[in-house]
Structure formats: structure tokens, C-alpha cells
Amino acid sequence: MIPAAIILALAGICIYFYFDPSESALFPKCSFYCLTGLKCPGCGSQRAIHALLHGDLSTAVRFNAMMVVALPVVLLLCVGELVRTRRPELYLKLNSRWVIRAAFIVVTGWWIVRNLIGQ
Amino acid sequence: MLYWANINNVKVGPLEPGQLIAYGLTPETFVWRQGWQQWCKAKFVDEFIPWFGPDPRHTARPPMPSSYLPWALIVTILCCMPIGIVAIIYSSKVESRYASGDYIGSCKASEAARTWSIVGAVSGLLYCLFFGSIYLIQFIRLWH
């Protein structure tokens, strides 16, 4: 499970490093955006990852600011999942009520706000 | 009072209850003392009961079931799937039910969070395949 995840992640990093999603037609467009014309919370993530892999933080923030903020949080939560049974008290801290609520509010809030301000 | 105990099919004794517990006596172990007609489980013998205080291994809570929060977030952010929001709501239920002592309810919410994360990831993958096949068809058309 873990080796498979590492291989997938490395493959993804290579693809998003060498190909620019805003220039190549190969990358899938967001289904929500295609159907509604509105941006979903994840729109721009592929371009933002490409920018991040090239060390261009400001461009990444412009494509999807929330994704840039959420990435380290998601990585931390993944570590929490790996040590859940060995460090239950750490897992409880990482998955506390406020962390989960904040994640929910930030994701749904970003969904609404980015469509209002055109980000 | 001195007792004999049958610990893992080995007769140990005659010893004090505390000494027998050090040998691995449990509430289910059969014990016997002189004058008894037959062997009896230690948990029914008054002299042993004080030794079986609340066992920390039995009273400690199991770890919180997985909230699948990272997967729910990955599905929401990277797969453009509003389904991920449903998974995040179930992640929140895993935590709130566990905190209120409803461990079984928490496990059920954990399963639901996993199911919705998988549904989101699979539909994201299917969409990519759908997108890829449309691109392939257009590519072949242009080629001809």
C-alpha cells in the first residue's frame, strides 16, 4: 500500500514537473467547471502543482491559493494516518474537532469566495 | 489461605493469591484449596476478587477509527469532486461520535468516510478516462 502510494506520487511529480497543464491539452479539465462554469475548490490545482514543482510560489498561489495552504496540512494528516494505532493521542490531536471543522469551512468557504472574487 | 492453580495446564501451588497472580493467574483460571470438593474459577473466589481490579488494558479506549480526512481532502481538492465534501462531513462524525463515547457509531462513520472518498476518487478517475478518450477521438479525427 505505502510503496504503491510512493510510486504513484513520484509518477505524479514527474508528470507535473515536465508537462505544463496550461499548455498541454492532455490534462483533464475540471468536470464541475465544464458543467457549471463555476470554479470548484480544487480548480487550478494541476497548474499550481506545476508551478510549485518549479519553485514558483506566487504563481501557484494565483492558480489555487487554498491548495498551496492545504498541501502541508494534508501531508501532516497522512503522517497521522500512518501512526494512528501506534500514536493514538497524536492522531486525536491531528483529527481534533477544530481541525476537521476548519477544513470543512475553508474548503466550502473557498468554493464560494473564489467564485465571488473571480480568483 | 494457600491455593493451587491450573495455569496453562501446569499445576502451581500451594501459594498465596498474590503469588499465583504473579505466575499468570487470570479471573478464568481454575483454583483449588484443601478441603474443596472441586476446582473453581478464581473470579468466583472471594479472596481473589480484590486482586482483579480494573485492568488498564480493558478500560483503555481503543484508538479513534480512521477519519480518512486526508483522503477526503485529496478527493475534494485534486479530483474536483464535490463528493469529497460528504466524506469530510463523515470525518467530522468519526471524531464527534468517538468523543461522545459512541465507538461503534464512530466506526460506522469511518466506513462511510472511506466509502465516499473511494466513490469520489473512482468518479474522478472515470472522468479522467472519459476526458482522455474524448481527446483521443479528436486526435484520431484530426489525424485523418
Side-chain angles (χ1 to χ4, degrees), chain B residues 45-57:
Chain B
V45 182
D46 288 344
E47 231 181 311
F48 281 89
I49 288 166
W51 293 91
F52 303 134
D55 187 337
R57 280 171 304 177

Side-chain angles (χ1 to χ4, degrees), chain B residues 6 29 52:
Chain B
N6 184 352
T29 307
F52 303 134

Side-chain angles (χ1 to χ4, degrees), chain B residues 29-70:
Chain B
T29 307
F30 281 95
V31 294
W32 178 86
R33 79 175 184 221
Q34 230 169 9
W36 282 7
Q37 295 287 316
Q38 58 189 9
W39 291 72
C40 178
K41 280 189 178 175
K43 66 180 173 184
F44 299 125
V45 182
D46 288 344
E47 231 181 311
F48 281 89
I49 288 166
W51 293 91
F52 303 134
D55 187 337
R57 280 171 304 177
H58 298 151
T59 51
R61 303 175 69 193
M64 184 166 88
S66 181
S67 67
Y68 293 99
L69 184 60

Side-chain angles (χ1 to χ4, degrees), chain A residues 76-95, chain B residues 61-65 98:
Chain A
L76 201 64
L77 287 170
C78 285
V79 173
E81 289 287 330
L82 288 175
V83 299
R84 182 175 66 90
T85 48
R86 271 169 289 163
R87 301 285 305 278
E89 72 295 338
L90 176 74
Y91 190 75
L92 270 177
K93 282 201 184 99
L94 284 174
N95 288 274
Chain B
R61 303 175 69 193
M64 184 166 88
Y98 181 77

